[in-house]
Amino acid sequence: MGWVRMRVRVRSPPVMQSKLLCLSLLYLLTTLPLALYVSFSDPASAASRCLVFLPFRSSAPSSAASAALFEYPREYGEHKHAIPATRALCSDPAVFSDYKTVLEEINKLCRNLSASPYAKPALRYQNGRRNSFAGNLSTVERRSFFNHTDSAVEIPCGFFKEFPVRESDRLAMEKCNGVVVASAIFNDHDKIRQPKGLGSETLRTVCFFMFIDDATHRVLASHNILAGERGEAGTVGAWRVARLVAGAGGDHRLPYENPAMNGVIVKYLLHRLFPNARFSVWVDAKMQLTVDPLLLVHSFVAGKGADMAVSKHPFNLHTMEEAIATARWRKWGDVDAIRAQMETYCRNGLQPWSPIKLPYPSDVPDTAIIIRRHGLASDLFSCLLFNELEAFNPRDQLAFAYVRDQMSPKVIMNMFDVEVFEHIAVEYRHNLKRGNGGAGGKQGITRMASSGDIAGSSCERYLLKMWGETTK
């Protein structure tokens, strides 16, 4: 009987048979140490590379910086859902002078402006009553105010309908004659968060105002953070809470049905809400300041000779990139309206960013924090931009370069790096609500554009130039 030959096949373990799996394991093993390092590295060390305090860090905030400004009930969750900063290195760090020096210089600037014969409002504003808060102006009407050469010309700048704040809040707003920090929460979209890193005199020197509506007030009252329905809103830590009220019998509604549009009233018309303030810092309610606002005003605006300061967008350079992202990620639901807005802007001179626009380094800002010196150029920019927001939508980045590039006089703008932005504040996610269709209302399916869509479009030359293709 012969031997039966048997062939034995040695197989590799199944886990080693997939090249894709092997590569994935290799990637995991090489990136995991880096991820752990980033996760557990000291955030203060990263901030120290982006924020430079002179002559040394301890001279900025005092013991007040570490004290809790307000004790929230645990269930309120004011510190939930923070978004981690991803950028640790800065090519152009922000430099802050000694807190005491900054305090003296800002107070002196405010006193000098108040005593100056030029302390009266730099712009004259249209008054009266119309069917919308900003007057429902046509494109031709809005553009007619871009070139402001005659100081006698009155500018349309909102308030053609009532902005319903309590009389006690209105009086307090008029008394604020230095630096104001303002924010707003409508429809309970965010949490009230306390600023950090405040100097010893900041709460006595700076006005902090948080504007809320009834929906937000009800939630705060349910947590016993504010008084009940009939009570004055009062204060929450650093913030004086100004509640917008509907009035007797509901006669006085908020200016817009869209909460985001009510928010941009505060965001861009601070110079009108606080007519005697000399500087302002707008802070989106999703942000928590971690640097004293006096240091921000001094470093980004007063020290730079700028009219306003805002961060560059972390990703987008051109307005059209932001418009495409707005449609793609459904930041505004009416895609056709976004397209109509861009067509209007392209027909009226909007150009993609190029070095010819320097010293403006970008066409797209991150406007979660805006620092302003109230004066002719910044006030005019704010008015013109707000008129565009009512005409189209509250996505302010879409109208930003269109107004900035074509207005006169030019606004001196300090657009600082996003790395700095991530270290002067902490960003949090908005409150999540079931059935919330987003700021733009009902959402549909977004159709992606094809190359054939631009033929014959007013933005064809813009897009070809942005893509680096010939426009002949």
Side-chain angles (χ1 to χ4, degrees):
M1 181 172 177
W3 294 96
V4 178
R5 293 186 178 181
M6 299 182 62
R7 180 176 295 177
V8 178
R9 179 177 296 176
V10 179
R11 296 186 178 183
S12 59
V15 72
M16 301 301 294
Q17 293 181 13
S18 171
K19 292 182 179 180
L20 180 60
L21 181 59
C22 292
L23 291 174
S24 299
L25 289 172
L26 178 62
Y27 176 79
L28 177 63
L29 292 174
T30 55
T31 57
L32 185 59
L34 178 61
L36 291 173
Y37 170 77
V38 172
S39 299
F40 293 102
S41 60
D42 183 9
S45 176
S48 69
R49 294 190 289 270
C50 290
L51 311 180
V52 179
F53 293 85
L54 300 178
F56 45 82
R57 179 68 172 88
S58 61
S59 66
S62 69
S63 58
S66 58
L69 296 174
F70 188 80
E71 292 293 336
Y72 292 93
R74 179 178 298 179
E75 63 273 13
Y76 184 64
E78 77 280 7
H79 288 141
K80 287 184 178 179
H81 311 304
I83 300 175
T86 58
R87 299 167 179 85
L89 299 178
C90 295
S91 59
D92 187 15
V95 179
F96 300 107
S97 297
D98 172 70
Y99 174 76
K100 185 177 180 181
T101 301
V102 168
L103 180 65
E104 293 174 352
E105 291 186 5
I106 294 297
N107 285 339
K108 183 178 179 180
L109 274 173
C110 293
R111 285 195 303 270
N112 289 346
L113 287 171
S114 299
S116 168
Y118 304 103
K120 60 182 180 182
L123 292 176
R124 300 179 65 183
Y125 303 111
Q126 293 182 5
N127 297 306
R129 284 287 181 260
R130 300 185 186 178
N131 62 355
S132 74
F133 188 80
N136 193 24
L137 305 174
S138 68
T139 299
V140 173
E141 289 173 323
R142 298 195 308 273
R143 287 183 58 81
S144 69
F145 298 99
F146 275 36
N147 187 16
H148 185 70
T149 57
D150 185 353
S151 60
V153 172
E154 294 182 342
I155 303 296
C157 194
F159 297 93
F160 294 116
K161 296 180 75 173
E162 183 182 4
F163 188 71
V165 296
R166 297 174 184 269
E167 186 62 22
S168 57
D169 290 326
R170 192 183 305 278
L171 292 174
M173 291 155 64
E174 290 178 356
K175 291 179 180 178
C176 184
N177 57 6
V179 177
V180 59
V181 178
S183 188
I185 304 174
F186 294 117
N187 201 29
D188 187 39
H189 200 51
D190 293 283
K191 308 288 187 185
I192 296 182
R193 298 181 174 92
Q194 300 302 318
K196 293 182 177 181
L198 301 185
S200 57
E201 299 296 320
T202 298
L203 289 178
R204 287 189 287 270
T205 305
V206 177
C207 307
F208 288 83
F209 271 78
M210 175 69 71
F211 294 84
I212 66 170
D213 60 358
D214 284 341
T216 306
H217 182 271
R218 283 193 292 271
V219 173
L220 295 171
S222 71
H223 289 286
N224 295 317
I225 294 174
L226 287 177
E229 287 294 322
R230 300 181 62 83
E232 291 287 336
T235 61
V236 177
W239 300 100
R240 177 177 179 130
V241 180
R243 177 185 173 192
L244 305 189
V245 291
D251 294 333
H252 306 294
R253 299 179 179 179
L254 297 187
Y256 299 101
E257 292 184 4
N258 189 319
M261 276 303 304
N262 290 320
V264 296
I265 294 175
V266 183
K267 186 172 186 176
Y268 281 101
L269 302 186
L270 284 174
H271 61 288
R272 299 214 60 190
L273 291 170
F274 297 85
N276 298 311
R278 304 307 171 191
F279 298 93
S280 65
V281 180
W282 162 261
V283 183
D284 273 10
K286 67 179 180 179
M287 309 298 298
Q288 179 184 32
L289 279 184
T290 56
V291 174
D292 191 292
L294 293 174
L295 299 182
L296 297 179
V297 167
H298 186 269
S299 177
F300 293 138
V301 173
K304 299 283 187 181
D307 297 309
M308 62 180 295
V310 66
S311 168
K312 290 181 286 188
H313 194 277
F315 307 113
N316 298 329
L317 178 65
H318 306 286
T319 300
M320 197 63 68
E321 291 176 326
E322 180 62 25
I324 293 170
T326 299
R328 174 66 182 85
W329 300 109
R330 302 182 184 183
K331 298 177 182 179
W332 185 252
D334 193 341
V335 177
D336 289 335
I338 294 174
R339 179 165 184 156
Q341 180 181 12
M342 291 298 100
E343 294 278 357
T344 299
Y345 289 171
C346 290
R347 282 196 302 270
N348 288 281
L350 177 67
Q351 295 293 324
W353 187 89
S354 67
I356 198 172
K357 290 193 178 186
L358 291 172
Y360 302 137
S362 173
D363 278 355
V364 186
D366 188 326
T367 58
I369 294 178
I370 307 175
I371 308 159
R372 277 172 288 213
R373 181 203 305 265
H374 293 185
L376 175 61
S378 66
D379 294 354
L380 179 64
F381 173 81
S382 297
C383 292
L384 298 176
L385 185 62
F386 181 80
N387 293 337
E388 295 299 319
L389 301 185
E390 184 188 82
F392 292 104
N393 59 69
R395 303 301 304 178
D396 52 351
Q397 294 152 312
L398 302 184
F400 187 86
Y402 171 72
V403 171
R404 181 200 65 187
D405 294 347
Q406 300 192 64
M407 65 173 281
S408 179
K410 292 295 184 184
V411 59
I412 302 174
M413 190 174 294
N414 173 21
M415 297 188 73
F416 52 90
D417 290 342
V418 65
E419 293 87 352
V420 171
F421 171 81
E422 288 187 345
H423 290 93
I424 62 175
V426 176
E427 182 176 357
Y428 292 83
R429 299 189 188 280
H430 296 298
N431 294 343
L432 300 178
K433 296 182 174 63
R434 291 183 180 272
N436 184 2
K442 184 178 180 180
Q443 303 286 350
I445 298 175
T446 303
R447 182 181 66 84
M448 299 306 292
S450 66
S451 58
D453 290 337
I454 71 170
S457 165
S458 301
C459 293
E460 180 177 1
R461 290 177 61 87
Y462 179 108
L463 290 167
L464 292 174
K465 188 175 179 180
M466 184 180 79
W467 292 331
E469 300 182 14
T470 179
T471 58
K472 293 183 180 180

mmCIF file of all heavy atoms in Angstrom, residues 103-135:
data_model
loop_
_atom_site.group_PDB
_atom_site.id
_atom_site.type_symbol
_atom_site.label_atom_id
_atom_site.label_comp_id
_atom_site.label_asym_id
_atom_site.label_seq_id
_atom_site.Cartn_x
_atom_site.Cartn_y
_atom_site.Cartn_z
ATOM 1 N N LEU A 103 -5.821 99.681 31.382
ATOM 2 C CA LEU A 103 -6.947 100.327 32.056
ATOM 3 C C LEU A 103 -6.814 101.837 32.002
ATOM 4 O O LEU A 103 -7.777 102.557 31.668
ATOM 5 C CB LEU A 103 -7.017 99.836 33.499
ATOM 6 C CG LEU A 103 -8.146 100.403 34.369
ATOM 7 C CD1 LEU A 103 -9.499 99.956 33.841
ATOM 8 C CD2 LEU A 103 -7.960 99.974 35.825
ATOM 9 N N GLU A 104 -5.635 102.348 32.297
ATOM 10 C CA GLU A 104 -5.415 103.802 32.280
ATOM 11 C C GLU A 104 -5.560 104.365 30.873
ATOM 12 O O GLU A 104 -6.178 105.427 30.677
ATOM 13 C CB GLU A 104 -4.024 104.124 32.836
ATOM 14 C CG GLU A 104 -3.872 103.817 34.330
ATOM 15 C CD GLU A 104 -2.450 103.998 34.807
ATOM 16 O OE1 GLU A 104 -1.560 104.203 33.951
ATOM 17 O OE2 GLU A 104 -2.229 103.923 36.036
ATOM 18 N N GLU A 105 -5.020 103.671 29.881
ATOM 19 C CA GLU A 105 -5.060 104.192 28.512
ATOM 20 C C GLU A 105 -6.472 104.159 27.930
ATOM 21 O O GLU A 105 -6.887 105.105 27.254
ATOM 22 C CB GLU A 105 -4.095 103.405 27.626
ATOM 23 C CG GLU A 105 -2.626 103.657 27.962
ATOM 24 C CD GLU A 105 -1.683 102.990 26.974
ATOM 25 O OE1 GLU A 105 -2.173 102.416 25.969
ATOM 26 O OE2 GLU A 105 -0.463 103.045 27.200
ATOM 27 N N ILE A 106 -7.211 103.088 28.187
ATOM 28 C CA ILE A 106 -8.578 103.016 27.674
ATOM 29 C C ILE A 106 -9.459 104.063 28.348
ATOM 30 O O ILE A 106 -10.263 104.748 27.688
ATOM 31 C CB ILE A 106 -9.162 101.603 27.878
ATOM 32 C CG1 ILE A 106 -8.406 100.586 27.021
ATOM 33 C CG2 ILE A 106 -10.650 101.580 27.524
ATOM 34 C CD1 ILE A 106 -8.505 100.817 25.540
ATOM 35 N N ASN A 107 -9.332 104.225 29.657
ATOM 36 C CA ASN A 107 -10.112 105.249 30.350
ATOM 37 C C ASN A 107 -9.774 106.648 29.835
ATOM 38 O O ASN A 107 -10.667 107.490 29.672
ATOM 39 C CB ASN A 107 -9.854 105.175 31.855
ATOM 40 C CG ASN A 107 -10.556 103.992 32.505
ATOM 41 O OD1 ASN A 107 -11.510 103.451 31.959
ATOM 42 N ND2 ASN A 107 -10.079 103.580 33.673
ATOM 43 N N LYS A 108 -8.501 106.887 29.558
ATOM 44 C CA LYS A 108 -8.098 108.188 29.024
ATOM 45 C C LYS A 108 -8.677 108.411 27.630
ATOM 46 O O LYS A 108 -9.157 109.509 27.309
ATOM 47 C CB LYS A 108 -6.571 108.269 28.981
ATOM 48 C CG LYS A 108 -6.038 109.618 28.505
ATOM 49 C CD LYS A 108 -4.516 109.647 28.524
ATOM 50 C CE LYS A 108 -3.990 110.995 28.024
ATOM 51 N NZ LYS A 108 -2.508 111.032 28.028
ATOM 52 N N LEU A 109 -8.639 107.374 26.797
ATOM 53 C CA LEU A 109 -9.219 107.493 25.459
ATOM 54 C C LEU A 109 -10.711 107.820 25.531
ATOM 55 O O LEU A 109 -11.206 108.684 24.804
ATOM 56 C CB LEU A 109 -9.028 106.183 24.693
ATOM 57 C CG LEU A 109 -7.716 105.982 23.937
ATOM 58 C CD1 LEU A 109 -7.643 104.563 23.390
ATOM 59 C CD2 LEU A 109 -7.584 106.991 22.800
ATOM 60 N N CYS A 110 -11.418 107.144 26.411
ATOM 61 C CA CYS A 110 -12.854 107.375 26.535
ATOM 62 C C CYS A 110 -13.154 108.773 27.057
ATOM 63 O O CYS A 110 -14.077 109.440 26.587
ATOM 64 C CB CYS A 110 -13.485 106.314 27.440
ATOM 65 S SG CYS A 110 -13.444 104.647 26.741
ATOM 66 N N ARG A 111 -12.353 109.237 28.019
ATOM 67 C CA ARG A 111 -12.559 110.598 28.536
ATOM 68 C C ARG A 111 -12.283 111.635 27.459
ATOM 69 O O ARG A 111 -13.030 112.607 27.303
ATOM 70 C CB ARG A 111 -11.648 110.841 29.743
ATOM 71 C CG ARG A 111 -12.099 110.151 31.022
ATOM 72 C CD ARG A 111 -11.369 110.744 32.222
ATOM 73 N NE ARG A 111 -9.925 110.653 32.081
ATOM 74 C CZ ARG A 111 -9.195 109.619 32.510
ATOM 75 N NH1 ARG A 111 -9.796 108.590 33.100
ATOM 76 N NH2 ARG A 111 -7.882 109.608 32.360
ATOM 77 N N ASN A 112 -11.220 111.449 26.702
ATOM 78 C CA ASN A 112 -10.871 112.416 25.661
ATOM 79 C C ASN A 112 -11.936 112.473 24.574
ATOM 80 O O ASN A 112 -12.268 113.539 24.057
ATOM 81 C CB ASN A 112 -9.515 112.065 25.052
ATOM 82 C CG ASN A 112 -8.367 112.320 26.010
ATOM 83 O OD1 ASN A 112 -8.532 112.992 27.029
ATOM 84 N ND2 ASN A 112 -7.205 111.761 25.711
ATOM 85 N N LEU A 113 -12.471 111.311 24.211
ATOM 86 C CA LEU A 113 -13.514 111.282 23.197
ATOM 87 C C LEU A 113 -14.787 111.955 23.704
ATOM 88 O O LEU A 113 -15.473 112.653 22.961
ATOM 89 C CB LEU A 113 -13.803 109.841 22.785
ATOM 90 C CG LEU A 113 -12.744 109.162 21.919
ATOM 91 C CD1 LEU A 113 -13.047 107.685 21.784
ATOM 92 C CD2 LEU A 113 -12.671 109.811 20.543
ATOM 93 N N SER A 114 -15.091 111.750 24.996
ATOM 94 C CA SER A 114 -16.291 112.351 25.564
ATOM 95 C C SER A 114 -16.170 113.869 25.650
ATOM 96 O O SER A 114 -17.149 114.595 25.476
ATOM 97 C CB SER A 114 -16.560 111.777 26.955
ATOM 98 O OG SER A 114 -16.771 110.383 26.885
ATOM 99 N N ALA A 115 -14.959 114.361 25.927
ATOM 100 C CA ALA A 115 -14.743 115.796 26.057
ATOM 101 C C ALA A 115 -14.522 116.478 24.721
ATOM 102 O O ALA A 115 -14.566 117.695 24.626
ATOM 103 C CB ALA A 115 -13.543 116.053 26.972
ATOM 104 N N SER A 116 -14.290 115.679 23.667
ATOM 105 C CA SER A 116 -13.989 116.246 22.362
ATOM 106 C C SER A 116 -15.228 116.849 21.724
ATOM 107 O O SER A 116 -16.344 116.354 21.902
ATOM 108 C CB SER A 116 -13.422 115.149 21.438
ATOM 109 O OG SER A 116 -13.375 115.600 20.107
ATOM 110 N N PRO A 117 -15.071 117.947 20.963
ATOM 111 C CA PRO A 117 -16.217 118.501 20.241
ATOM 112 C C PRO A 117 -16.738 117.554 19.170
ATOM 113 O O PRO A 117 -17.825 117.738 18.649
ATOM 114 C CB PRO A 117 -15.648 119.784 19.612
ATOM 115 C CG PRO A 117 -14.169 119.573 19.564
ATOM 116 C CD PRO A 117 -13.846 118.745 20.756
ATOM 117 N N TYR A 118 -15.934 116.530 18.829
ATOM 118 C CA TYR A 118 -16.360 115.549 17.835
ATOM 119 C C TYR A 118 -17.041 114.346 18.478
ATOM 120 O O TYR A 118 -17.232 113.324 17.838
ATOM 121 C CB TYR A 118 -15.150 115.068 17.027
ATOM 122 C CG TYR A 118 -14.392 116.192 16.363
ATOM 123 C CD1 TYR A 118 -13.189 116.650 16.886
ATOM 124 C CD2 TYR A 118 -14.911 116.813 15.237
ATOM 125 C CE1 TYR A 118 -12.499 117.695 16.290
ATOM 126 C CE2 TYR A 118 -14.229 117.859 14.630
ATOM 127 C CZ TYR A 118 -13.025 118.296 15.154
ATOM 128 O OH TYR A 118 -12.353 119.332 14.569
ATOM 129 N N ALA A 119 -17.410 114.496 19.758
ATOM 130 C CA ALA A 119 -18.017 113.384 20.469
ATOM 131 C C ALA A 119 -19.442 113.107 20.009
ATOM 132 O O ALA A 119 -19.987 112.057 20.286
ATOM 133 C CB ALA A 119 -18.021 113.662 21.976
ATOM 134 N N LYS A 120 -20.050 114.042 19.290
ATOM 135 C CA LYS A 120 -21.397 113.803 18.783
ATOM 136 C C LYS A 120 -21.369 112.658 17.767
ATOM 137 O O LYS A 120 -20.315 112.320 17.231
ATOM 138 C CB LYS A 120 -21.934 115.072 18.123
ATOM 139 C CG LYS A 120 -21.110 115.566 16.944
ATOM 140 C CD LYS A 120 -21.675 116.851 16.390
ATOM 141 C CE LYS A 120 -20.832 117.354 15.205
ATOM 142 N NZ LYS A 120 -21.351 118.626 14.684
ATOM 143 N N PRO A 121 -22.508 112.016 17.482
ATOM 144 C CA PRO A 121 -22.531 110.880 16.562
ATOM 145 C C PRO A 121 -21.890 111.216 15.222
ATOM 146 O O PRO A 121 -22.109 112.290 14.656
ATOM 147 C CB PRO A 121 -24.026 110.577 16.419
ATOM 148 C CG PRO A 121 -24.636 111.077 17.686
ATOM 149 C CD PRO A 121 -23.825 112.290 18.070
ATOM 150 N N ALA A 122 -21.066 110.302 14.734
ATOM 151 C CA ALA A 122 -20.362 110.533 13.476
ATOM 152 C C ALA A 122 -21.305 110.480 12.285
ATOM 153 O O ALA A 122 -21.041 111.063 11.248
ATOM 154 C CB ALA A 122 -19.247 109.508 13.311
ATOM 155 N N LEU A 123 -22.398 109.758 12.419
ATOM 156 C CA LEU A 123 -23.371 109.635 11.339
ATOM 157 C C LEU A 123 -24.715 110.214 11.774
ATOM 158 O O LEU A 123 -25.043 110.235 12.958
ATOM 159 C CB LEU A 123 -23.571 108.162 10.965
ATOM 160 C CG LEU A 123 -22.414 107.417 10.311
ATOM 161 C CD1 LEU A 123 -22.794 105.956 10.104
ATOM 162 C CD2 LEU A 123 -22.030 108.049 8.981
ATOM 163 N N ARG A 124 -25.456 110.651 10.802
ATOM 164 C CA ARG A 124 -26.837 111.059 11.039
ATOM 165 C C ARG A 124 -27.730 109.954 10.488
ATOM 166 O O ARG A 124 -27.467 109.408 9.420
ATOM 167 C CB ARG A 124 -27.133 112.393 10.351
ATOM 168 C CG ARG A 124 -26.244 113.530 10.836
ATOM 169 C CD ARG A 124 -26.567 114.821 10.102
ATOM 170 N NE ARG A 124 -27.913 115.290 10.400
ATOM 171 C CZ ARG A 124 -28.457 116.382 9.832
ATOM 172 N NH1 ARG A 124 -27.769 117.081 8.927
ATOM 173 N NH2 ARG A 124 -29.681 116.749 10.151
ATOM 174 N N TYR A 125 -28.792 109.640 11.217
ATOM 175 C CA TYR A 125 -29.605 108.484 10.871
ATOM 176 C C TYR A 125 -31.022 108.896 10.469
ATOM 177 O O TYR A 125 -31.593 109.843 11.020
ATOM 178 C CB TYR A 125 -29.678 107.516 12.056
ATOM 179 C CG TYR A 125 -28.329 107.049 12.530
ATOM 180 C CD1 TYR A 125 -27.819 107.457 13.762
ATOM 181 C CD2 TYR A 125 -27.548 106.217 11.740
ATOM 182 C CE1 TYR A 125 -26.573 107.042 14.191
ATOM 183 C CE2 TYR A 125 -26.296 105.792 12.161
ATOM 184 C CZ TYR A 125 -25.817 106.211 13.380
ATOM 185 O OH TYR A 125 -24.582 105.800 13.797
ATOM 186 N N GLN A 126 -31.581 108.150 9.527
ATOM 187 C CA GLN A 126 -32.969 108.340 9.149
ATOM 188 C C GLN A 126 -33.885 107.866 10.275
ATOM 189 O O GLN A 126 -33.584 106.887 10.958
ATOM 190 C CB GLN A 126 -33.281 107.569 7.862
ATOM 191 C CG GLN A 126 -32.562 108.101 6.626
ATOM 192 C CD GLN A 126 -32.946 107.348 5.367
ATOM 193 O OE1 GLN A 126 -33.819 106.477 5.397
ATOM 194 N NE2 GLN A 126 -32.300 107.676 4.252
ATOM 195 N N ASN A 127 -34.981 108.570 10.443
ATOM 196 C CA ASN A 127 -35.952 108.228 11.473
ATOM 197 C C ASN A 127 -37.311 107.971 10.830
ATOM 198 O O ASN A 127 -37.470 108.066 9.618
ATOM 199 C CB ASN A 127 -36.063 109.349 12.510
ATOM 200 C CG ASN A 127 -34.753 109.571 13.251
ATOM 201 O OD1 ASN A 127 -34.201 108.627 13.803
ATOM 202 N ND2 ASN A 127 -34.260 110.803 13.261
ATOM 203 N N GLY A 128 -38.294 107.673 11.651
ATOM 204 C CA GLY A 128 -39.645 107.449 11.147
ATOM 205 C C GLY A 128 -40.053 105.993 11.321
ATOM 206 O O GLY A 128 -39.362 105.189 11.939
ATOM 207 N N ARG A 129 -41.200 105.667 10.765
ATOM 208 C CA ARG A 129 -41.745 104.325 10.860
ATOM 209 C C ARG A 129 -41.958 103.754 9.460
ATOM 210 O O ARG A 129 -42.474 104.429 8.570
ATOM 211 C CB ARG A 129 -43.071 104.336 11.628
ATOM 212 C CG ARG A 129 -42.865 104.483 13.133
ATOM 213 C CD ARG A 129 -42.312 103.182 13.725
ATOM 214 N NE ARG A 129 -42.125 103.259 15.156
ATOM 215 C CZ ARG A 129 -40.956 103.472 15.752
ATOM 216 N NH1 ARG A 129 -39.863 103.677 15.013
ATOM 217 N NH2 ARG A 129 -40.864 103.492 17.059
ATOM 218 N N ARG A 130 -41.532 102.509 9.270
ATOM 219 C CA ARG A 130 -41.716 101.808 8.011
ATOM 220 C C ARG A 130 -42.209 100.399 8.295
ATOM 221 O O ARG A 130 -42.367 100.000 9.448
ATOM 222 C CB ARG A 130 -40.405 101.780 7.206
ATOM 223 C CG ARG A 130 -39.875 103.177 6.872
ATOM 224 C CD ARG A 130 -38.657 103.114 5.971
ATOM 225 N NE ARG A 130 -38.076 104.440 5.773
ATOM 226 C CZ ARG A 130 -36.977 104.672 5.060
ATOM 227 N NH1 ARG A 130 -36.335 103.678 4.463
ATOM 228 N NH2 ARG A 130 -36.509 105.907 4.938
ATOM 229 N N ASN A 131 -42.418 99.634 7.227
ATOM 230 C CA ASN A 131 -43.013 98.306 7.407
ATOM 231 C C ASN A 131 -42.020 97.233 7.800
ATOM 232 O O ASN A 131 -42.390 96.068 7.964
ATOM 233 C CB ASN A 131 -43.750 97.883 6.124
ATOM 234 C CG ASN A 131 -42.798 97.775 4.933
ATOM 235 O OD1 ASN A 131 -41.618 98.102 5.041
ATOM 236 N ND2 ASN A 131 -43.327 97.333 3.804
ATOM 237 N N SER A 132 -40.741 97.572 7.926
ATOM 238 C CA SER A 132 -39.744 96.625 8.430
ATOM 239 C C SER A 132 -38.715 97.385 9.249
ATOM 240 O O SER A 132 -38.587 98.616 9.146
ATOM 241 C CB SER A 132 -39.059 95.862 7.288
ATOM 242 O OG SER A 132 -38.146 96.696 6.603
ATOM 243 N N PHE A 133 -37.952 96.662 10.050
ATOM 244 C CA PHE A 133 -37.017 97.297 10.977
ATOM 245 C C PHE A 133 -35.950 98.099 10.248
ATOM 246 O O PHE A 133 -35.529 99.164 10.706
ATOM 247 C CB PHE A 133 -36.367 96.221 11.855
ATOM 248 C CG PHE A 133 -35.537 96.767 12.978
ATOM 249 C CD1 PHE A 133 -36.139 97.210 14.147
ATOM 250 C CD2 PHE A 133 -34.157 96.839 12.872
ATOM 251 C CE1 PHE A 133 -35.382 97.725 15.194
ATOM 252 C CE2 PHE A 133 -33.388 97.341 13.913
ATOM 253 C CZ PHE A 133 -34.005 97.789 15.079
ATOM 254 N N ALA A 134 -35.458 97.614 9.101
ATOM 255 C CA ALA A 134 -34.414 98.318 8.347
ATOM 256 C C ALA A 134 -34.960 99.071 7.145
ATOM 257 O O ALA A 134 -34.188 99.656 6.381
ATOM 258 C CB ALA A 134 -33.331 97.338 7.894
ATOM 259 N N GLY A 135 -36.265 99.057 6.935
ATOM 260 C CA GLY A 135 -36.850 99.873 5.880
ATOM 261 C C GLY A 135 -37.152 99.152 4.584
ATOM 262 O O GLY A 135 -37.677 99.769 3.652
#
